[in-house]
Amino acid sequence: MEMNEILVTYGENIEEQAYSLAETAELSALIGGRERRIGLKPNLVLASPAEEGATTHPEIARGLIRYLRKNGFTNIVILEGSWVGARTGDAFPLCGYTALVSDLGSAETRVELLDLQADRAHPYDCKGMKIEICDSAMAVDFMINLPVMKGHCQTLVTCALKNNKGVLPDREKQRFHSLGLHKPIAHLNTVAKNDFILVDGICGDLDFEEGGNPVYSGKLYAARDPVLCDAWTAAQMGYRVEEIPYIGMAAALGVGCADPAKAVIRELTPPLVPRKAPTDQRSEPSGKVRQLASYINEEKSCSACYANLIFALSRMEKAELKKLPEKVCIGQGFKGKAGTLGVGRCTGSFDASLPGCPPAGTDIAAFLRGLM
Ligand code: SF4
């Protein structure tokens, strides 16, 4: 797999999606020697099940570990430090990682589960900013970052670059907030490891790091460049890269490429995963997703397409939404039919239609604004 590639799968079998991404990326060749210590860094920001949109599905780790073992790698550790105020010791069992490790465990090939809140840390010079990083995270030879694609109340988007905040001791996490997050996140990633990234885009939250408004898209994707990964993620969620300062800052520090147009996207499966209606989602207390759905006329749409439309609508002001001439049509049920306003290739016969299969959130928002 090349540095500028992003491999995407859509599906409903998360473990198999993770396995096939590792296989297609030829992950074993990227890792190298079988004795190397491999770290898996999920996002377990707090004790909340993955279905709520905040944390990484444990099936992803399961699929990866199955692949790694099949290819002769046995020195594997899952490591994470939850945010300040939550205990990783609570998140591991509730998010399914304690059970995962116990399922996988023969004594000689046991996968370690390591709470970075209990780890020691040392300072590193991160291109001009001194940052303390946990020893165990720096001790792995190859780090597989497993972020969730989701919204964030301060940085708008959180994915690969920000997920590395979990390798900091709590006092350093607090200092990051006092520094406004963006600059220290960019500097952290000049030293913290990011050798392979597998993003959980199954049902990330609309706009909050702690979940509660999951947007189901059934998507997993792999990348090697964390900056490109986040730039592309931002575009899927309806943001321009300039709106997420840490992405551009990390690029300026040489961490990667911040131009989503430079990403070479390889879809391993078509996006034809049926949409899950909001009522199928386990948690939607504030009803934001349901409220945005009132602007949509949906017929047999794919999850990823519908999710990008929801993300795009959530980026628009209420006043803008009110100016929409009518509900936005989306889905395979509109193929070959006439209509006025639609997004996605399936509405290609409409008077106004945005191509793409699925179109990115940022393109959808620009298209809809262009009609006003
Ligand atoms: S354009 Fe049609 S086929 Fe393509 S993702 Fe959207 S709904 Fe699915």
Side-chain angles (χ1 to χ4, degrees), residues 271-272 300-302 305 331-332 344-346 356-358:
L272 304 176
K300 298 183 189 158
S301 75
C302 304
C305 209
Q332 297 176 60
R345 192 175 64 191
C346 293
C357 180

Side-chain angles (χ1 to χ4, degrees), residues 99-329:
L100 169 72
V101 165
S102 121
D103 284 357
L104 292 170
S106 71
E108 65 279 11
T109 58
R110 182 173 293 284
V111 172
E112 287 175 59
L113 196 55
L114 215 151
D115 178 358
L116 293 178
Q117 284 180 326
D119 202 28
R120 294 167 70 93
H122 285 90
Y124 292 83
D125 178 7
C126 298
K127 282 213 170 168
M129 185 177 273
K130 199 164 273 189
I131 296 175
E132 278 191 89
I133 304 176
C134 292
D135 292 352
S136 299
M138 293 303 288
V140 304
D141 298 308
F142 191 94
M143 183 68 89
I144 303 179
N145 189 348
L146 305 175
V148 177
M149 164 189 168
K150 61 180 172 175
H152 188 274
C153 58
Q154 289 162 285
T155 60
L156 304 182
V157 168
T158 167
C159 196
L161 294 166
K162 191 173 169 302
N163 192 38
N164 262 341
K165 202 163 147 272
V167 303
L168 304 173
D170 276 4
R171 58 184 172 276
E172 194 63 289
K173 289 189 191 115
Q174 285 167 322
R175 191 172 75 95
F176 266 41
H177 283 274
S178 75
L179 295 171
L181 286 177
H182 291 281
K183 187 175 173 193
I185 287 171
H187 280 265
L188 167 66
N189 280 279
T190 64
V191 169
K193 297 174 189 218
N194 251 319
D195 298 301
F196 185 72
I197 303 146
L198 206 160
V199 181
D200 182 344
I202 298 294
C203 60
D205 193 85
L206 186 65
D207 48 14
F208 280 106
E209 192 177 10
E210 64 262 54
N213 281 289
V215 182
Y216 184 83
S217 81
K219 182 167 66 182
L220 283 192
Y221 50 104
R224 292 183 63 198
D225 176 341
V227 182
L228 193 60
C229 173
D230 283 13
W232 187 74
T233 299
Q236 300 312 297
M237 294 174 66
Y239 288 110
R240 288 174 293 109
V241 169
E242 307 81 69
E243 294 178 90
I244 326 289
Y246 69 78
I247 298 177
M249 289 175 180
L253 289 167
V255 181
C257 168
D259 181 358
K262 297 258 169 66
V264 174
I265 309 302
R266 280 171 63 196
E267 288 185 340
L268 309 189
T269 52
L272 304 176
V273 179
R275 180 180 85 87
K276 282 193 183 174
T279 46
D280 294 337
Q281 294 176 359
R282 276 182 48 161
S283 164
E284 203 185 348
S286 69
K288 278 187 194 169
V289 176
R290 198 188 309 270
Q291 195 261 329
L292 291 168
S294 68
Y295 295 95
I296 301 174
N297 181 8
E298 181 271 335
E299 234 179 84
K300 298 183 189 158
S301 75
C302 304
S303 296
C305 209
Y306 189 86
N308 286 0
L309 176 55
I310 287 284
F311 277 120
L313 292 174
S314 75
R315 306 301 160 236
M316 297 169 69
E317 304 288 340
K318 266 196 184 142
E320 289 181 301
L321 292 172
K322 279 187 186 155
K323 281 192 207 160
L324 284 172
E326 60 179 52
K327 289 189 178 189
V328 183
C329 293

